[in-house]
């Protein structure tokens, strides 16, 4: 956040007129976004908020957020709130872990670096949340539960751990191992997701991907560059979560005031979806009341038992941060917005779906609050690759048939657009009342729990007949790997000096092995070489790691 402040203050000095302009940059949208169908962008999933308490004008804030429902989320006149996520407890209550600082602080919003984390509780997911206890100093908290039942609250530069969601909490530090990779924009604003086996994946502010065996043991960096969209922008506030189908991520371009939505099969390789994930102006209530907050940051999602997002939480502020001063009419709070929940789908085809597939059979499952026999506009449905259905294309319906409470929809094979680059199929349509209906389904013959092999930079070890190359390889997947091949190429400038290869033995999850690749006289200590490492695992994509390095 210090970097953000420096950049924005510099812009304020450069631009004459209102300081407001310093936090707004108009990002040019790709032309194809104009052709997105309803439901093709994540932002289409936000719903109107049910009434929460009383609508009032006797409250702080710019005119754009008055009147409002102050009981949505958490707010009060004495404190400025920021960040935070919700966990539903075994007691049936909703527990919000959020940070705050005194509203009357001399520095106003810039008092954030002296914020404290509080535990707030509500009987409903929308609020009002009331602070129950102060946990300790910290900013931008994110709470999660470990496989062994303990709870963790991440804060910048630390974490709190407790055996109970109600504390007591013990402060400590995470341990990070960069594994020879650069830390992208520092280790702050981290976000975490639990995997099927109880291990954890983490994304840092700069977009690097890390893994931990249990969520508290060391986090190991796997990626060598950010996984965010390849566009100009200063990204922050990443959120990662996992459903029973795939991984999801949202990251915010704070200067452009838009956010992007990404999906992944394994958490390492990500597909960027078109369209905005969210924008200012998404807060509206079922009675038509709108709150036009200046900025939305620190998105979190409340998840159901399948991991599906049912509600989004945001830190919001009514003006530019540097205009929020102590004892003034400006402040910040945490708000909640419900989300359209994706439907449960199952592809019944047993063979791989490709260009030769004649029909695609999809089971749409019934669940509480959703009857596929009555709650679907059948003619609106499209199915296939997201690249197709997001733009109103995809396979169309051939016929339907009932299967108990479920509905089986048979789509023509033409137009689905599913290739080897797709790891799920997407259903898109509407309800009879025009409400959004969507869902994702795993594809047949796609392996969703692969080993994730990753190498460190090779080391030179002097031998009588030359330099032996030793390289550490580790498995960060949830299943054991098979015997694999490793190829290491060294380039001096653009000239390849040598290629080394060897075998990597079977590795259990998080197991590592030092691979010796023999002695070679062609490499010299102290020289700069570009290193390209390729790991070939049966039925797995090649994992590359490339870096210019002085070998030791």
């Amino acid at each position: 956040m210090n970097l953000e402040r420096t950049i924005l203050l510099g812009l304020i000095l450069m631009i004459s007129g209102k300081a407001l302009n310093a936090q707004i940059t108009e990002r040019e949208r790709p032309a194809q976004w104009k052709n997105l169908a309803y439901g093709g962008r994540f932002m289409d999933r936000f719903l109107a908020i049910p009434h929460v308490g009383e609508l009032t004008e006797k409250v702080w804030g710019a005119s754009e957020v008055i009147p409002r429902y102050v009981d949505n989320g958490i707010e009060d006149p004495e404190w400025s709130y920021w960040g935070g996520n919700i966990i539903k407890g075994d007691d049936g209550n909703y527990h919000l872990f959020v940070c705050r600082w005194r509203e009357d602080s001399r520095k106003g919003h810039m008092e954030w670096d002296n914020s404290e984390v509080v535990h707030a509780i509500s009987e409903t997911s929308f609020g009002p949340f009331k602070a129950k206890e102060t946990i300790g100093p910290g900013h931008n908290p994110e709470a999660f539960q470990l496989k062994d039942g303990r709870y963790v609250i991440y804060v910048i530069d630390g974490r709190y751990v407790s055996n109970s969601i109600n504390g007591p909490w013990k402060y400590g530090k995470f341990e990070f191992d960069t594994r020879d990779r650069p830390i992208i924009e520092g280790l702050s604003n981290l976000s975490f997701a639990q995997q099927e086996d109880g291990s954890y994946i983490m994304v840092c502010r700069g977009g690097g991907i890390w893994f931990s065996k249990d969520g508290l043991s060391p986090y190991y960096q796997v990626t060598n560059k950010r996984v965010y969209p390849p566009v100009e922008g200063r990204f922050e506030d990443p959120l990662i979560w996992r459903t029973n189908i795939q991984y999801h991520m949202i990251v915010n371009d704070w200067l452009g005031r838009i956010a992007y939505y990404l999906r992944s099969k394994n958490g390492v390789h990500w597909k960027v979806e078109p369209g905005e994930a969210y924008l200012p102006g998404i807060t509206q209530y079922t009675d038509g009341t709108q709150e036009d907050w200046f900025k939305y940051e620190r998105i979190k999602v409340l998840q159901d038992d399948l991991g599906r997002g049912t509600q989004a939480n945001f830190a919001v502020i009514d003006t530019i941060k540097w205009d929020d001063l102590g004892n003034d009419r400006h402040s910040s709070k945490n708000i909640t917005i419900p989300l359209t929940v994706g439907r449960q789908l199952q592809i019944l085809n047993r063979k791989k779906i490709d260009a030769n597939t004649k029909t695609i059979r999809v089971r749409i499952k019934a669940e509480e609050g959703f009857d596929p026999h009555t709650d679907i506009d059948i003619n609106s449905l499209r199915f296939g690759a997201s690249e197709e259905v997001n733009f109103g294309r995809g396979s169309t319906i051939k016929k339907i048939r009932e299967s108990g409470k479920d509905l089986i929809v048979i789509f023509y094979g033409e137009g689905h657009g599913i290739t080897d680059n797709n790891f799920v199929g997407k259903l898109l349509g509407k309800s009879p009342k025009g409400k959004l209906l969507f869902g994702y389904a795993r594809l047949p013959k796609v392996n969703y729990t692969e080993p994730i092999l990753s190498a460190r930079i090779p080391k030179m070890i002097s031998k009588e007949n030359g330099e032996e190359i030793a390289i550490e390889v580790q498995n960060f997947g949830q299943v054991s790997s098979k015997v694999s091949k490793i190829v290491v190429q060294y380039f001096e400038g653009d000239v390849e000096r040598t290629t080394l290869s060897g075998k990597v033995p079977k590795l259990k999850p998080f197991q590592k092995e030092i691979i010796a690749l023999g002695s070679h006289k062609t490499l010299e200590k102290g020289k700069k070489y570009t290193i390209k490492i390729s790991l070939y695992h049966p039925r797995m994509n090649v994992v590359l790691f490339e870096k210019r390095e002085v070998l030791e």
Side-chain angles (χ1 to χ4, degrees), residues 398-421:
K398 180 178 181 180
K399 60 182 178 180
I400 62 173
R401 64 180 178 87
E402 296 183 1
S403 178
K405 294 182 178 181
D406 300 340
L407 184 69
I408 295 178
V409 182
I410 302 172
F411 292 89
Y412 289 104
E414 294 85 356
H416 61 73
I418 293 172
T419 68
D420 290 340
N421 293 323

PDB file of all heavy atoms in Angstrom, residues 398-421:
ATOM      1  N   LYS A 398     -30.683 -30.614 -28.494  1.00  0.00           N
ATOM      2  CA  LYS A 398     -31.328 -31.578 -29.373  1.00  0.00           C
ATOM      3  C   LYS A 398     -32.605 -32.105 -28.732  1.00  0.00           C
ATOM      4  O   LYS A 398     -33.672 -32.130 -29.348  1.00  0.00           O
ATOM      5  CB  LYS A 398     -30.369 -32.728 -29.678  1.00  0.00           C
ATOM      6  CG  LYS A 398     -30.954 -33.789 -30.595  1.00  0.00           C
ATOM      7  CD  LYS A 398     -29.927 -34.881 -30.891  1.00  0.00           C
ATOM      8  CE  LYS A 398     -30.492 -35.935 -31.839  1.00  0.00           C
ATOM      9  NZ  LYS A 398     -29.478 -36.993 -32.117  1.00  0.00           N
ATOM     10  N   LYS A 399     -32.526 -32.505 -27.459  1.00  0.00           N
ATOM     11  CA  LYS A 399     -33.704 -32.965 -26.733  1.00  0.00           C
ATOM     12  C   LYS A 399     -33.389 -33.000 -25.243  1.00  0.00           C
ATOM     13  O   LYS A 399     -32.229 -32.867 -24.822  1.00  0.00           O
ATOM     14  CB  LYS A 399     -34.152 -34.341 -27.220  1.00  0.00           C
ATOM     15  CG  LYS A 399     -33.122 -35.450 -27.058  1.00  0.00           C
ATOM     16  CD  LYS A 399     -33.663 -36.768 -27.618  1.00  0.00           C
ATOM     17  CE  LYS A 399     -32.611 -37.872 -27.509  1.00  0.00           C
ATOM     18  NZ  LYS A 399     -33.110 -39.161 -28.041  1.00  0.00           N
ATOM     19  N   ILE A 400     -34.423 -33.202 -24.446  1.00  0.00           N
ATOM     20  CA  ILE A 400     -34.265 -33.311 -22.999  1.00  0.00           C
ATOM     21  C   ILE A 400     -35.040 -34.539 -22.503  1.00  0.00           C
ATOM     22  O   ILE A 400     -35.954 -35.014 -23.182  1.00  0.00           O
ATOM     23  CB  ILE A 400     -34.761 -32.052 -22.262  1.00  0.00           C
ATOM     24  CG1 ILE A 400     -36.268 -31.859 -22.510  1.00  0.00           C
ATOM     25  CG2 ILE A 400     -33.987 -30.825 -22.689  1.00  0.00           C
ATOM     26  CD1 ILE A 400     -36.866 -30.732 -21.694  1.00  0.00           C
ATOM     27  N   ARG A 401     -34.657 -35.009 -21.324  1.00  0.00           N
ATOM     28  CA  ARG A 401     -35.439 -36.078 -20.697  1.00  0.00           C
ATOM     29  C   ARG A 401     -35.269 -35.983 -19.184  1.00  0.00           C
ATOM     30  O   ARG A 401     -34.229 -35.553 -18.671  1.00  0.00           O
ATOM     31  CB  ARG A 401     -35.032 -37.451 -21.209  1.00  0.00           C
ATOM     32  CG  ARG A 401     -33.622 -37.890 -20.906  1.00  0.00           C
ATOM     33  CD  ARG A 401     -33.377 -39.285 -21.473  1.00  0.00           C
ATOM     34  NE  ARG A 401     -32.027 -39.756 -21.263  1.00  0.00           N
ATOM     35  CZ  ARG A 401     -31.626 -40.393 -20.154  1.00  0.00           C
ATOM     36  NH1 ARG A 401     -32.500 -40.612 -19.177  1.00  0.00           N
ATOM     37  NH2 ARG A 401     -30.385 -40.823 -20.030  1.00  0.00           N
ATOM     38  N   GLU A 402     -36.308 -36.376 -18.484  1.00  0.00           N
ATOM     39  CA  GLU A 402     -36.279 -36.331 -17.034  1.00  0.00           C
ATOM     40  C   GLU A 402     -35.521 -37.532 -16.480  1.00  0.00           C
ATOM     41  O   GLU A 402     -35.527 -38.612 -17.062  1.00  0.00           O
ATOM     42  CB  GLU A 402     -37.701 -36.315 -16.479  1.00  0.00           C
ATOM     43  CG  GLU A 402     -38.487 -35.066 -16.863  1.00  0.00           C
ATOM     44  CD  GLU A 402     -39.865 -35.055 -16.230  1.00  0.00           C
ATOM     45  OE1 GLU A 402     -40.185 -36.017 -15.490  1.00  0.00           O
ATOM     46  OE2 GLU A 402     -40.618 -34.091 -16.470  1.00  0.00           O
ATOM     47  N   SER A 403     -34.856 -37.314 -15.343  1.00  0.00           N
ATOM     48  CA  SER A 403     -34.151 -38.387 -14.641  1.00  0.00           C
ATOM     49  C   SER A 403     -34.369 -38.161 -13.153  1.00  0.00           C
ATOM     50  O   SER A 403     -33.540 -37.588 -12.456  1.00  0.00           O
ATOM     51  CB  SER A 403     -32.653 -38.364 -14.979  1.00  0.00           C
ATOM     52  OG  SER A 403     -31.968 -39.374 -14.266  1.00  0.00           O
ATOM     53  N   GLY A 404     -35.549 -38.585 -12.676  1.00  0.00           N
ATOM     54  CA  GLY A 404     -35.921 -38.287 -11.306  1.00  0.00           C
ATOM     55  C   GLY A 404     -36.079 -36.789 -11.138  1.00  0.00           C
ATOM     56  O   GLY A 404     -36.738 -36.117 -11.936  1.00  0.00           O
ATOM     57  N   LYS A 405     -35.485 -36.239 -10.113  1.00  0.00           N
ATOM     58  CA  LYS A 405     -35.540 -34.795  -9.896  1.00  0.00           C
ATOM     59  C   LYS A 405     -34.591 -34.036 -10.822  1.00  0.00           C
ATOM     60  O   LYS A 405     -34.714 -32.824 -10.988  1.00  0.00           O
ATOM     61  CB  LYS A 405     -35.204 -34.474  -8.431  1.00  0.00           C
ATOM     62  CG  LYS A 405     -36.239 -34.981  -7.435  1.00  0.00           C
ATOM     63  CD  LYS A 405     -35.860 -34.573  -6.015  1.00  0.00           C
ATOM     64  CE  LYS A 405     -36.912 -35.038  -5.027  1.00  0.00           C
ATOM     65  NZ  LYS A 405     -36.568 -34.633  -3.637  1.00  0.00           N
ATOM     66  N   ASP A 406     -33.641 -34.746 -11.420  1.00  0.00           N
ATOM     67  CA  ASP A 406     -32.671 -34.113 -12.306  1.00  0.00           C
ATOM     68  C   ASP A 406     -33.228 -34.005 -13.726  1.00  0.00           C
ATOM     69  O   ASP A 406     -34.252 -34.619 -14.065  1.00  0.00           O
ATOM     70  CB  ASP A 406     -31.364 -34.904 -12.333  1.00  0.00           C
ATOM     71  CG  ASP A 406     -30.711 -35.002 -10.967  1.00  0.00           C
ATOM     72  OD1 ASP A 406     -31.042 -34.168 -10.091  1.00  0.00           O
ATOM     73  OD2 ASP A 406     -29.864 -35.901 -10.777  1.00  0.00           O
ATOM     74  N   LEU A 407     -32.497 -33.250 -14.538  1.00  0.00           N
ATOM     75  CA  LEU A 407     -32.854 -33.093 -15.952  1.00  0.00           C
ATOM     76  C   LEU A 407     -31.630 -33.396 -16.794  1.00  0.00           C
ATOM     77  O   LEU A 407     -30.537 -32.885 -16.523  1.00  0.00           O
ATOM     78  CB  LEU A 407     -33.339 -31.668 -16.222  1.00  0.00           C
ATOM     79  CG  LEU A 407     -33.830 -31.379 -17.644  1.00  0.00           C
ATOM     80  CD1 LEU A 407     -35.140 -32.111 -17.912  1.00  0.00           C
ATOM     81  CD2 LEU A 407     -34.014 -29.877 -17.853  1.00  0.00           C
ATOM     82  N   ILE A 408     -31.797 -34.246 -17.793  1.00  0.00           N
ATOM     83  CA  ILE A 408     -30.704 -34.535 -18.720  1.00  0.00           C
ATOM     84  C   ILE A 408     -30.965 -33.793 -20.021  1.00  0.00           C
ATOM     85  O   ILE A 408     -32.011 -33.955 -20.642  1.00  0.00           O
ATOM     86  CB  ILE A 408     -30.578 -36.049 -18.976  1.00  0.00           C
ATOM     87  CG1 ILE A 408     -30.177 -36.752 -17.674  1.00  0.00           C
ATOM     88  CG2 ILE A 408     -29.541 -36.326 -20.065  1.00  0.00           C
ATOM     89  CD1 ILE A 408     -30.064 -38.249 -17.784  1.00  0.00           C
ATOM     90  N   VAL A 409     -30.014 -32.959 -20.384  1.00  0.00           N
ATOM     91  CA  VAL A 409     -30.111 -32.164 -21.607  1.00  0.00           C
ATOM     92  C   VAL A 409     -29.106 -32.717 -22.612  1.00  0.00           C
ATOM     93  O   VAL A 409     -27.921 -32.851 -22.307  1.00  0.00           O
ATOM     94  CB  VAL A 409     -29.827 -30.683 -21.334  1.00  0.00           C
ATOM     95  CG1 VAL A 409     -29.977 -29.864 -22.617  1.00  0.00           C
ATOM     96  CG2 VAL A 409     -30.755 -30.142 -20.246  1.00  0.00           C
ATOM     97  N   ILE A 410     -29.585 -33.047 -23.786  1.00  0.00           N
ATOM     98  CA  ILE A 410     -28.726 -33.589 -24.841  1.00  0.00           C
ATOM     99  C   ILE A 410     -28.486 -32.485 -25.868  1.00  0.00           C
ATOM    100  O   ILE A 410     -29.416 -31.980 -26.490  1.00  0.00           O
ATOM    101  CB  ILE A 410     -29.363 -34.823 -25.492  1.00  0.00           C
ATOM    102  CG1 ILE A 410     -29.623 -35.885 -24.417  1.00  0.00           C
ATOM    103  CG2 ILE A 410     -28.460 -35.388 -26.587  1.00  0.00           C
ATOM    104  CD1 ILE A 410     -30.420 -37.072 -24.912  1.00  0.00           C
ATOM    105  N   PHE A 411     -27.213 -32.107 -26.018  1.00  0.00           N
ATOM    106  CA  PHE A 411     -26.829 -31.047 -26.943  1.00  0.00           C
ATOM    107  C   PHE A 411     -26.253 -31.658 -28.222  1.00  0.00           C
ATOM    108  O   PHE A 411     -25.611 -32.722 -28.189  1.00  0.00           O
ATOM    109  CB  PHE A 411     -25.761 -30.138 -26.319  1.00  0.00           C
ATOM    110  CG  PHE A 411     -26.248 -29.312 -25.162  1.00  0.00           C
ATOM    111  CD1 PHE A 411     -26.202 -29.806 -23.867  1.00  0.00           C
ATOM    112  CD2 PHE A 411     -26.757 -28.040 -25.371  1.00  0.00           C
ATOM    113  CE1 PHE A 411     -26.641 -29.049 -22.795  1.00  0.00           C
ATOM    114  CE2 PHE A 411     -27.211 -27.277 -24.306  1.00  0.00           C
ATOM    115  CZ  PHE A 411     -27.148 -27.772 -23.021  1.00  0.00           C
ATOM    116  N   TYR A 412     -26.475 -30.987 -29.345  1.00  0.00           N
ATOM    117  CA  TYR A 412     -25.794 -31.365 -30.578  1.00  0.00           C
ATOM    118  C   TYR A 412     -24.282 -31.180 -30.400  1.00  0.00           C
ATOM    119  O   TYR A 412     -23.839 -30.306 -29.634  1.00  0.00           O
ATOM    120  CB  TYR A 412     -26.264 -30.500 -31.745  1.00  0.00           C
ATOM    121  CG  TYR A 412     -27.674 -30.785 -32.200  1.00  0.00           C
ATOM    122  CD1 TYR A 412     -28.713 -29.914 -31.860  1.00  0.00           C
ATOM    123  CD2 TYR A 412     -27.965 -31.900 -32.974  1.00  0.00           C
ATOM    124  CE1 TYR A 412     -30.016 -30.158 -32.277  1.00  0.00           C
ATOM    125  CE2 TYR A 412     -29.261 -32.157 -33.400  1.00  0.00           C
ATOM    126  CZ  TYR A 412     -30.281 -31.285 -33.048  1.00  0.00           C
ATOM    127  OH  TYR A 412     -31.560 -31.544 -33.461  1.00  0.00           O
ATOM    128  N   GLY A 413     -23.498 -31.972 -31.096  1.00  0.00           N
ATOM    129  CA  GLY A 413     -22.048 -31.866 -30.983  1.00  0.00           C
ATOM    130  C   GLY A 413     -21.467 -30.653 -31.675  1.00  0.00           C
ATOM    131  O   GLY A 413     -20.398 -30.168 -31.294  1.00  0.00           O
ATOM    132  N   GLU A 414     -22.170 -30.129 -32.684  1.00  0.00           N
ATOM    133  CA  GLU A 414     -21.621 -29.017 -33.443  1.00  0.00           C
ATOM    134  C   GLU A 414     -21.526 -27.750 -32.593  1.00  0.00           C
ATOM    135  O   GLU A 414     -22.437 -27.426 -31.831  1.00  0.00           O
ATOM    136  CB  GLU A 414     -22.489 -28.715 -34.674  1.00  0.00           C
ATOM    137  CG  GLU A 414     -22.498 -29.815 -35.715  1.00  0.00           C
ATOM    138  CD  GLU A 414     -23.529 -30.898 -35.407  1.00  0.00           C
ATOM    139  OE1 GLU A 414     -24.180 -30.815 -34.336  1.00  0.00           O
ATOM    140  OE2 GLU A 414     -23.668 -31.831 -36.225  1.00  0.00           O
ATOM    141  N   GLY A 415     -20.407 -27.054 -32.748  1.00  0.00           N
ATOM    142  CA  GLY A 415     -20.280 -25.720 -32.163  1.00  0.00           C
ATOM    143  C   GLY A 415     -19.823 -25.665 -30.728  1.00  0.00           C
ATOM    144  O   GLY A 415     -19.722 -24.575 -30.158  1.00  0.00           O
ATOM    145  N   HIS A 416     -19.518 -26.814 -30.113  1.00  0.00           N
ATOM    146  CA  HIS A 416     -19.134 -26.762 -28.692  1.00  0.00           C
ATOM    147  C   HIS A 416     -17.789 -26.068 -28.480  1.00  0.00           C
ATOM    148  O   HIS A 416     -17.554 -25.466 -27.430  1.00  0.00           O
ATOM    149  CB  HIS A 416     -19.126 -28.155 -28.066  1.00  0.00           C
ATOM    150  CG  HIS A 416     -18.171 -29.119 -28.696  1.00  0.00           C
ATOM    151  ND1 HIS A 416     -16.809 -29.050 -28.538  1.00  0.00           N
ATOM    152  CD2 HIS A 416     -18.399 -30.207 -29.481  1.00  0.00           C
ATOM    153  CE1 HIS A 416     -16.237 -30.029 -29.186  1.00  0.00           C
ATOM    154  NE2 HIS A 416     -17.179 -30.761 -29.785  1.00  0.00           N
ATOM    155  N   GLY A 417     -16.873 -26.171 -29.428  1.00  0.00           N
ATOM    156  CA  GLY A 417     -15.603 -25.458 -29.348  1.00  0.00           C
ATOM    157  C   GLY A 417     -14.613 -26.014 -28.343  1.00  0.00           C
ATOM    158  O   GLY A 417     -13.575 -25.394 -28.070  1.00  0.00           O
ATOM    159  N   ILE A 418     -14.889 -27.167 -27.761  1.00  0.00           N
ATOM    160  CA  ILE A 418     -14.001 -27.739 -26.738  1.00  0.00           C
ATOM    161  C   ILE A 418     -12.773 -28.344 -27.405  1.00  0.00           C
ATOM    162  O   ILE A 418     -12.881 -29.156 -28.323  1.00  0.00           O
ATOM    163  CB  ILE A 418     -14.746 -28.799 -25.909  1.00  0.00           C
ATOM    164  CG1 ILE A 418     -15.852 -28.132 -25.085  1.00  0.00           C
ATOM    165  CG2 ILE A 418     -13.783 -29.542 -24.986  1.00  0.00           C
ATOM    166  CD1 ILE A 418     -16.766 -29.107 -24.376  1.00  0.00           C
ATOM    167  N   THR A 419     -11.585 -27.921 -26.931  1.00  0.00           N
ATOM    168  CA  THR A 419     -10.311 -28.425 -27.443  1.00  0.00           C
ATOM    169  C   THR A 419      -9.465 -28.892 -26.268  1.00  0.00           C
ATOM    170  O   THR A 419      -9.903 -28.880 -25.117  1.00  0.00           O
ATOM    171  CB  THR A 419      -9.553 -27.327 -28.216  1.00  0.00           C
ATOM    172  OG1 THR A 419      -9.122 -26.311 -27.283  1.00  0.00           O
ATOM    173  CG2 THR A 419     -10.444 -26.689 -29.286  1.00  0.00           C
ATOM    174  N   ASP A 420      -8.235 -29.264 -26.548  1.00  0.00           N
ATOM    175  CA  ASP A 420      -7.319 -29.690 -25.487  1.00  0.00           C
ATOM    176  C   ASP A 420      -6.971 -28.542 -24.550  1.00  0.00           C
ATOM    177  O   ASP A 420      -6.415 -28.776 -23.470  1.00  0.00           O
ATOM    178  CB  ASP A 420      -6.035 -30.264 -26.096  1.00  0.00           C
ATOM    179  CG  ASP A 420      -6.280 -31.608 -26.776  1.00  0.00           C
ATOM    180  OD1 ASP A 420      -7.298 -32.249 -26.447  1.00  0.00           O
ATOM    181  OD2 ASP A 420      -5.461 -32.005 -27.622  1.00  0.00           O
ATOM    182  N   ASN A 421      -7.254 -27.307 -24.941  1.00  0.00           N
ATOM    183  CA  ASN A 421      -6.977 -26.156 -24.092  1.00  0.00           C
ATOM    184  C   ASN A 421      -8.083 -25.910 -23.063  1.00  0.00           C
ATOM    185  O   ASN A 421      -7.958 -25.014 -22.226  1.00  0.00           O
ATOM    186  CB  ASN A 421      -6.797 -24.893 -24.939  1.00  0.00           C
ATOM    187  CG  ASN A 421      -5.550 -24.947 -25.793  1.00  0.00           C
ATOM    188  OD1 ASN A 421      -4.523 -25.475 -25.359  1.00  0.00           O
ATOM    189  ND2 ASN A 421      -5.619 -24.417 -27.005  1.00  0.00           N
TER     190      ASN A 421
END
